[in-house]
Amino acid sequence: MNYRKGKVLVYASSAALAMALFGGEAHAEEQAAKNNAPEIVVTAQFRSQKLQDVPIAITAVNSAMLEQRGATNIADIGSSAPNVTLRPAAASFGPSVVAYIRGVGQRDTNFALEPGVGLYIDDVYLPTMHGSLLNLVDLDRVEILRGPQGTLAGQNSIGGAIKLYSKKPDANPDAYLSATYGAYNRVEIRGGSNFTIAPDKLYMRLTGVGVHKDGYVTRYDYACTHPGSTVPSSVTGSSCKLGTEGGKDYVAGRAAFRWTPTSFLTADIAVDITRDNSEPTPSTLLYVGRNANPGSTLTGIASPPAAAYVLNGNVYGNATGSPFISYSPFGAYAQDTFSRSPYINYENYTDTTPRDGSAPWQAPLKAALNTWGISGTLSATLTPNLKLTSITAYRQFDGTYSTGDGSPLNPSLQANNIYNKQFSEELRLSAKFGDLANLTVGGFYFYKRSRYQARIELTTLNFIEDDSIPATTKAVFANADISPIRNLTVIGGIRYTDQSKTFYYGRFGVPGSSTGGAVPPSLAALNGLVGGFNGGRFDYRAALQYRFNDDVMGYAQFSTGFRGGGINPRPFFPAQALPHSPEKLNAYEVGLKTDLFDRRLRMNFSGFINKYTDILVTVASCPLPGVPAAPCSLPLNAGNATIKGLEAEMRLQPVPGLTVEASLAYLDFKYDSVSAAAVTSGIGTEDKGQYISPWQWSFAVQYDWSLGSMGTITPRVDVNHIDSFNRNANNVDAATGGKDIFGQVPGYTLVNARIAYQTAGKEWELAVEGRNLTDKLYYTDIFDNRGSTNSIQGTPAEPRTWAVTVKRRF
C-alpha cells in the first residue's frame, strides 16, 4: 500500500472510534442576551466573573471564536491579542513556543531557565517551554492575562499568563465528528461526545484527534543536485530528495469525568495522552560568514574546511552572504543553480566523518514528544458562602528532537532527548461576605524533575551531555476585594514563593572517538559539578476599580511578578558555570472597559509602565578571566529597563450578523542601566529589548448571512500585522548607531480567510479556509549561531495553505 494513502486510511478508519469514544470541539457558544454579544466568564481572580467586570487586561476567546479563526495550536491565538507574541521556537530549541507578553518572556527551552509567561491547562501549571506548542482541542475558552500575575498565578508569570480551560462533561450529548483535508496532504480527524453514566451524578466526556501533514521545507542532497561537487552524498537511489521538515504526525485523546455525589460536592477528573512523532522543526540556512578576500577559506566551518570540497555552482564558494539558499533577509539572491526556493535546505542530519574519529552517525529525523497526565479538581461548598477547591495533578513527558545548521557540512549537529515529571497540589479557600467582600487564601506545592541528554557536535567540541534538574516550589497566597461603597472596589493580593532548584552537570566523551571516549579537556571539570538556586520572594497587587455606570468600568493597579533564578546550563568551561538572579518587574497600569450603544460596541483600553529589573539575557561572548570569549551561551542579568505601552481592543456589531474586531498595541523599551557583566559582553543602554515589536495590530470582519430554512453562510477575513523585532540582546552598535540586521526578524502582515456553511439546524457544517493568502515569506524566528558556527538559521512559516473541513453534530 502507498504510505501516504495508507495514513489517510488509518485516520479515516479511526473516525468511527473517535465518534463513539471521543469528545471535541464544543458547539458555538450561545450568544449572550443583547445584540448577540458574547459574554465570556473568566476566573482570573479565583472566582467566576464576567470579562468586563475584571480589572485586568485580558483577551478571552471561547470555542466558537477559536473555530471561526481556524486556530489549531497555541501559537495561533496570539496574533489578535495586543502585545502578545506566541510563535514556534527555532529548531535548536525543539518543539516549543516562544512566549512574550508586553516584552517579557523567554525563548530558550532549557530546563535550567524558567519561562516568563505562565502556562496553565485547567489551572494546572506547565513549567517548561518544551511541549508548550499545545494543540487546541476541546477547549471551552482561552484567557490571556497581560501584565505580571505574581499574586494570582505565581512564579514565572512575570509577563502574564495564558490559561486554557477544557470543556466539562454534562448531560448535553454535544457529540460531533469533523474531518479536514488541506494543503501538504493535511488530514485531520476530530471527534467527541458526552456520556451520561449516572443521571445527575456521573458524566464522562471523551476527546480524540489524529493529524497528519507533510512538511513544507524540503531537504535535498547537495552532491546529487550539484553534479561535480565532491561534498559527501547521503542519498540512495535516483531521487535527490532526502525528506522534509515541518511535517506533523500526532494522535491525542482525553477522558474527563464529572462526579456530583451531592449538591455541595463536585469532582472533576481528567486523563490525557498525546503521541507526537512529527518531523524536525523547519529551518533554512540564512547566512554563513566569510573572510572579506574572495576565494579565501570561509570562516565558521572549522572542519571540514571549505577547501576540502568542490562546491560546484553554489554561492557558498563565491559570494558574500547566504550560502545554500536562494533568499535571505540579510542579502540578495544566492547563486544556487538548483533552486531559488526559500523553503529548501541541504541538511542531512548525518556526519559521515566525525571530527573526533568516532563512527559515522545520524541524528533522529524527528521532533517527537510523548506526554500524558492526570488531574483532579475537587470543589466543596462548605457553606453557602464558603468554598474549598483542591487541584491535584501529575504529568510527564519525554521527547526527541534534532538540529543542524541546514548545510551538508555539519559544522554543528545535535540529537536531544528530554524528560520531565511533575506533581502539583493547590488548595484554595474562598469566602464571600455578601456584597461587601470576597476573599481567597491558599497554598501551592510543586515538584518536578527534568533531565536533558544530548550528543552535541560543534566545530571544536564533540561530547555527550546528561544533566538532571530537580526543582521544588512552595507558595502561600491571599487575594481580597472589598466594596466599601457602591460601585467602588478595593483589591489587594499577596503571595510568598519559595523556590529551590539544583543542576547536576554531566559531561562525557563520545564512545569510539580518537580520545578513547574521554571527556574533552575543557569540559572535564564540569562532569559531576553541582549548581543551583534557592530563594524566596514576596509579590503584591493593589488595585482600585470603579464602575461609572452599567457600561463603563475603570481601574488602576500596581502589581509585581518575578521569574526564577538559576545557573548557566551550557558552560563550555567551568568558569562559565555561573548563577543568575531572578528577574523582577513592578507594573503600573490603568484601564477602561466599556460596552456602548446597547452593547453593540465593546472597547477596552489599557496603558502601563513597567519597571523591569535584573533582566535576564543570553550572550554569545563571555570575556571572563582565563577563558576564551567564545564559544559561549551565558545567561546573565543585564540590567534595568522601563517598558511603556498602550493597548486597545474593539468588537463592533453595527447590524445583526455583522461583527468587526480589531486590536492595536504599542510598546517601547529602554534600558535605564546596564550591569558590568552585560557591558563586557557588548550590551549597552542603546540596545533594545528582545521580541519587542513597536506596533502590532489586527482587524477582522465576519458576517452571518442567513439563508432562512437553507441555513447560514459565514465569511470571515482576518488581517494581522507585527513590526520587526530583535532576537539578540546586543542589537544596536553604539559606535555607529547601526542596527543588528543579523538578529532582527522582519515584520509582516498576514491575511487569512474562512467561509463556512451551516444547515438550519446546525447539524452539518462545511468550511473552506485559506491562510497566508498573499503567500508572504516570513520567519517566525531565527537562530543566530555566529558565536559557534558563524551561521544563522531561520524558521520560515508556512506559505499559502488551504483546507476544507466537514463537521457533523449529533
Side-chain angles (χ1 to χ4, degrees):
M1 178 184 292
N2 178 276
Y3 173 73
R4 183 172 294 177
K5 290 181 179 179
K7 298 208 86 168
V8 173
L9 289 175
V10 168
Y11 286 117
S13 300
S14 68
L17 178 62
M19 190 174 80
L21 295 180
F22 299 122
E25 301 169 352
H27 291 167
E29 178 177 296
E30 291 296 325
Q31 302 296 321
K34 297 182 181 178
N35 303 305
N36 295 321
E39 191 61 79
I40 300 178
V41 175
V42 299
T43 56
Q45 296 188 126
F46 301 130
R47 59 192 177 93
S48 297
Q49 294 177 280
K50 296 178 181 178
L51 175 64
Q52 294 298 90
D53 290 338
V54 182
I56 298 174
I58 303 177
T59 297
V61 291
N62 59 26
S63 58
M65 295 176 177
L66 293 171
E67 188 172 34
Q68 291 161 359
R69 298 172 186 181
T72 59
N73 63 59
I74 193 173
D76 292 333
I77 65 178
S79 58
S80 58
N83 281 327
V84 174
T85 295
L86 297 173
R87 56 185 61 240
S92 298
F93 299 123
S96 60
V97 68
V98 174
Y100 278 74
I101 297 179
R102 293 180 174 177
V104 182
Q106 175 62 288
R107 62 174 172 81
D108 194 333
T109 59
N110 194 282
F111 293 125
L113 303 172
E114 304 292 331
V117 173
L119 185 60
Y120 295 80
I121 298 180
D122 294 328
D123 287 328
V124 174
Y125 178 54
L126 303 185
T128 75
M129 298 180 68
H130 283 297
S132 57
L133 193 60
L134 301 170
N135 301 299
L136 305 181
V137 182
D138 199 27
L139 292 183
D140 175 69
R141 69 186 187 280
V142 177
E143 300 176 14
I144 302 178
L145 284 60
R146 304 191 297 276
Q149 305 297 316
T151 61
L152 297 171
Q155 72 176 43
N156 304 330
S157 296
I158 181 174
I162 301 173
K163 298 188 174 186
L164 285 65
Y165 291 94
S166 305
K167 291 286 293 183
K168 296 295 187 291
D170 58 29
N172 179 11
D174 194 23
Y176 90 100
L177 180 67
S178 72
T180 299
Y181 183 79
Y184 298 101
N185 195 35
R186 175 184 172 188
V187 179
E188 190 168 319
I189 304 294
R190 298 171 182 258
S193 182
N194 285 332
F195 298 89
T196 298
I197 299 175
D200 300 324
K201 297 291 184 183
L202 183 60
Y203 304 98
M204 177 175 64
R205 182 174 184 83
L206 295 172
T207 318
V209 59
V211 174
H212 166 78
K213 190 174 185 179
D214 293 343
Y216 59 93
V217 168
T218 304
R219 298 186 297 112
Y220 289 100
D221 181 80
Y222 183 80
C224 181
T225 59
H226 295 75
S229 169
T230 59
V231 172
S233 177
S234 301
V235 72
T236 57
S238 59
S239 174
C240 294
K241 182 178 177 179
L242 296 175
T244 59
E245 294 177 341
K248 298 295 182 183
D249 260 305
Y250 65 85
V251 293
R254 183 175 185 271
F257 300 87
R258 167 159 283 192
W259 182 42
T260 55
T262 68
S263 60
F264 56 83
L265 184 64
T266 300
D268 287 296
I269 299 174
V271 180
D272 66 88
I273 185 170
T274 299
R275 292 292 178 262
D276 189 338
N277 196 39
S278 297
E279 293 179 343
T281 301
S283 180
T284 58
L285 185 57
L286 299 184
Y287 172 87
V288 168
R290 59 174 289 128
N291 293 331
N293 182 23
S296 62
T297 301
L298 298 175
T299 62
I301 306 297
S303 176
Y309 298 122
V310 176
L311 299 168
N312 181 35
N314 189 269
V315 68
Y316 187 68
N318 56 18
T320 301
S322 310
F324 296 103
I325 65 166
S326 64
Y327 172 82
S328 168
F330 311 126
Y333 288 88
Q335 301 172 18
D336 188 329
T337 58
F338 172 67
S339 173
R340 286 188 174 276
S341 169
Y343 300 101
I344 71 166
N345 68 36
Y346 294 94
E347 179 61 66
N348 52 35
Y349 295 100
T350 303
D351 192 350
T352 56
T353 56
R355 292 180 282 280
D356 61 1
S358 58
W361 70 288
Q362 178 173 313
L365 304 177
K366 61 176 64 177
L369 195 70
N370 299 317
T371 179
W372 73 273
I374 181 170
S375 64
T377 300
L378 183 67
S379 300
T381 303
L382 305 180
T383 72
N385 295 313
L386 190 63
K387 182 179 180 180
L388 178 67
T389 302
S390 170
I391 305 168
T392 308
Y394 175 83
R395 298 195 66 82
Q396 72 174 54
F397 67 73
D398 62 82
T400 299
Y401 67 97
S402 300
T403 62
D405 79 325
S407 84
L409 303 182
N410 296 309
S412 66
L413 185 63
Q414 294 187 28
N416 309 275
N417 296 299
I418 52 175
Y419 310 88
N420 186 73
K421 298 179 180 180
Q422 67 179 72
F423 171 81
S424 62
E425 170 63 36
E426 182 168 351
L427 284 174
R428 303 175 188 165
L429 183 64
S430 299
K432 181 176 179 60
F433 301 91
D435 295 329
L436 176 63
N438 292 277
L439 171 67
T440 298
V441 297
F444 175 73
Y445 173 81
F446 179 84
Y447 174 79
K448 76 177 180 75
R449 187 174 186 91
S450 307
R451 187 179 181 185
Y452 172 75
Q453 294 178 312
R455 176 169 179 173
I456 299 175
E457 181 174 284
L458 302 175
T459 54
T460 57
L461 286 173
N462 293 309
F463 61 97
I464 303 294
E465 183 171 344
D466 190 349
D467 302 326
S468 181
I469 311 98
T472 302
T473 297
K474 303 173 185 177
V476 291
F477 56 88
N479 189 80
D481 59 78
I482 303 172
S483 300
I485 60 174
R486 181 179 175 83
N487 295 329
L488 176 66
T489 303
V490 181
I491 301 170
I494 187 172
R495 179 185 289 250
Y496 177 76
T497 302
D498 180 80
Q499 181 192 39
S500 175
K501 180 194 303 181
T502 305
F503 196 101
Y504 296 93
Y505 292 92
R507 299 292 185 271
F508 306 95
V510 176
S513 65
S514 57
T515 62
V519 186
S522 65
L523 301 177
L526 287 167
N527 189 41
L529 186 68
V530 180
F533 172 82
N534 292 277
R537 158 83 179 181
F538 278 102
D539 279 305
Y540 306 92
R541 178 178 178 234
L544 287 177
Q545 174 183 357
Y546 187 78
R547 181 158 289 283
F548 297 94
N549 54 49
D550 290 342
D551 299 327
V552 180
M553 184 271 284
Y555 67 90
Q557 73 168 354
F558 168 79
S559 59
T560 71
F562 82 103
R563 180 154 72 105
I567 194 168
N568 181 13
R570 301 185 184 96
F572 294 95
F573 309 95
Q576 293 179 354
L578 299 174
H580 56 265
S581 301
E583 288 184 330
K584 300 174 284 292
L585 191 142
N586 294 339
Y588 305 85
E589 180 177 339
V590 294
L592 192 68
K593 296 190 174 186
T594 69
D595 279 316
L596 307 174
F597 306 112
D598 200 22
R599 292 188 60 188
R600 289 185 174 87
L601 175 63
R602 170 171 291 181
M603 297 189 71
N604 294 341
F605 306 90
S606 57
F608 57 90
I609 298 176
N610 291 346
K611 291 295 184 179
Y612 195 8
T613 60
D614 292 327
I615 299 170
L616 187 64
V617 302
T618 299
V619 297
S621 176
C622 305
L624 299 172
V627 297
C632 169
S633 181
L634 175 67
L636 59 81
N637 297 105
N640 306 328
T642 297
I643 304 177
K644 301 176 183 178
L646 298 171
E647 299 163 346
E649 293 181 282
M650 184 270 287
R651 181 182 177 90
L652 173 66
Q653 295 178 298
V655 296
L658 178 63
T659 302
V660 180
E661 299 169 316
S663 68
L664 179 67
Y666 171 74
L667 202 59
D668 176 75
F669 176 102
K670 182 174 178 55
Y671 273 110
D672 300 319
S673 62
V674 176
S675 67
V679 170
T680 59
S681 297
I683 299 174
T685 55
E686 71 280 359
D687 287 309
K688 304 300 182 181
Q690 297 172 282
Y691 293 91
I692 289 184
S693 297
W695 290 99
Q696 286 179 259
W697 57 265
S698 68
F699 177 83
V701 59
Q702 174 179 309
Y703 184 67
D704 298 322
W705 181 20
S706 176
L707 303 178
S709 61
M710 296 179 62
T712 304
I713 293 180
T714 304
R716 179 184 176 94
V717 176
D718 286 88
V719 183
N720 304 297
H721 171 82
I722 183 170
D723 278 357
S724 61
F725 59 86
N726 294 297
R727 182 264 185 199
N728 297 330
N730 181 4
N731 49 63
V732 176
D733 188 332
T736 65
K739 296 181 179 179
D740 173 24
I741 63 170
F742 297 101
Q744 189 172 82
V745 180
Y748 50 84
T749 302
L750 300 181
V751 181
N752 302 326
R754 183 178 187 267
I755 184 168
Y757 167 75
Q758 278 190 342
T759 57
K762 298 185 178 181
E763 295 91 352
W764 287 95
E765 179 178 332
L766 173 65
V768 180
E769 69 176 55
R771 302 182 69 82
N772 191 9
L773 291 180
T774 62
D775 205 22
K776 173 71 174 178
L777 171 62
Y778 68 101
Y779 293 84
T780 61
D781 208 350
I782 64 172
F783 182 66
D784 188 347
N785 203 26
R786 287 176 294 164
S788 178
T789 63
N790 208 4
S791 65
I792 298 174
Q793 292 78 45
T795 304
E798 285 186 328
R800 180 169 48 230
T801 60
W802 60 271
V804 178
T805 300
V806 177
K807 187 172 185 177
R808 176 68 164 97
R809 296 183 176 93
F810 303 92

